[in-house]
Amino acid sequence: MKVVLINPPPPKIWVTPRVVPLGLAYIAAVLEHEGHRVKVLDLNVENLDQDDLLALLATEAPDVVGVTATTPLIKQAWKICKIVKESCKATTVIGGPHASELPDESLEKPYVNIVVREEGEGTIIEVCANIEKGFSLKEIRGMSYKEDGKIIHNPPREPRD
């Protein structure tokens, strides 16, 4: 399975430090360990515009696009999910602190398919495996999703030690 993970860019009015998105690095590592092909885009560092993102999506043809977001970056994350949905057939997944605390807010957007809540390493492995095999998402702990227009919150995943 092809997965693209994206750290959204800050709004243009911000001056932000260049911080490594460790959460995405952990997610990429566990997915690669499971045999998935993963590309990480840190749009806080990489100077890509919307056309560049569209070209990358066309080239990569991902099955899943995961976006992380803190509260100040959630609108940027939603914008990325919208671009993804308008340009390819990938399943969109949002994770990170904001979506974990307010999953309904993201799932109300028609271009967000799944919210991975809290620590996402175990959840994203199961999400990708189930999507790849065409299995249901009902039994995956730590995620929320839409089914027949209704938002479903699966039970939380136990925290890792």
Side-chain angles (χ1 to χ4, degrees):
M1 172 171 278
K2 295 180 198 172
V3 180
V4 173
L5 301 174
I6 302 174
N7 186 37
K12 299 219 183 290
I13 59 171
W14 284 16
V15 176
T16 60
R18 305 292 190 209
V19 179
V20 176
L22 286 178
L24 283 186
Y26 292 143
I27 299 295
V30 298
L31 288 174
E32 286 177 346
H33 185 265
E34 295 295 315
H36 300 289
R37 192 172 131 232
V38 181
K39 179 158 187 75
V40 178
L41 293 176
D42 184 355
L43 299 181
N44 186 31
V45 176
E46 298 180 56
N47 192 20
L48 302 179
D49 62 19
Q50 184 170 329
D51 290 336
D52 296 328
L53 180 57
L54 288 169
L56 182 130
L57 292 169
T59 301
E60 294 293 322
D63 302 297
V64 172
V65 174
V67 185
T68 187
T70 58
T71 298
L73 298 180
I74 194 66
K75 289 182 181 179
Q76 311 299 90
W78 293 334
K79 181 179 178 182
I80 289 167
C81 288
K82 186 174 185 199
I83 291 167
V84 169
K85 281 300 184 187
E86 291 172 349
S87 65
C88 66
K89 296 180 181 184
T91 299
T92 55
V93 180
I94 287 189
H98 187 93
S100 289
E101 290 301 314
L102 299 168
D104 289 23
E105 181 184 49
S106 289
L107 288 169
E108 289 170 356
K109 311 295 184 224
Y111 36 82
V112 175
N113 299 121
I114 296 170
V115 170
V116 171
R117 304 184 320 264
E118 306 301 328
E119 295 177 9
E121 293 87 348
T123 304
I124 196 67
I125 289 170
E126 290 183 37
V127 166
C128 287
N130 283 24
I131 289 171
E132 189 171 42
K133 295 173 184 170
F135 294 166
S136 170
L137 302 173
K138 290 180 182 181
E139 302 301 319
I140 301 174
R141 298 177 79 79
M143 64 163 280
S144 301
Y145 63 103
K146 292 179 276 200
E147 184 175 273
D148 299 324
K150 183 180 176 196
I151 295 174
I152 309 290
H153 300 289
N154 291 354
R157 185 172 291 274
E158 293 298 317
R160 295 173 62 173
D161 292 333

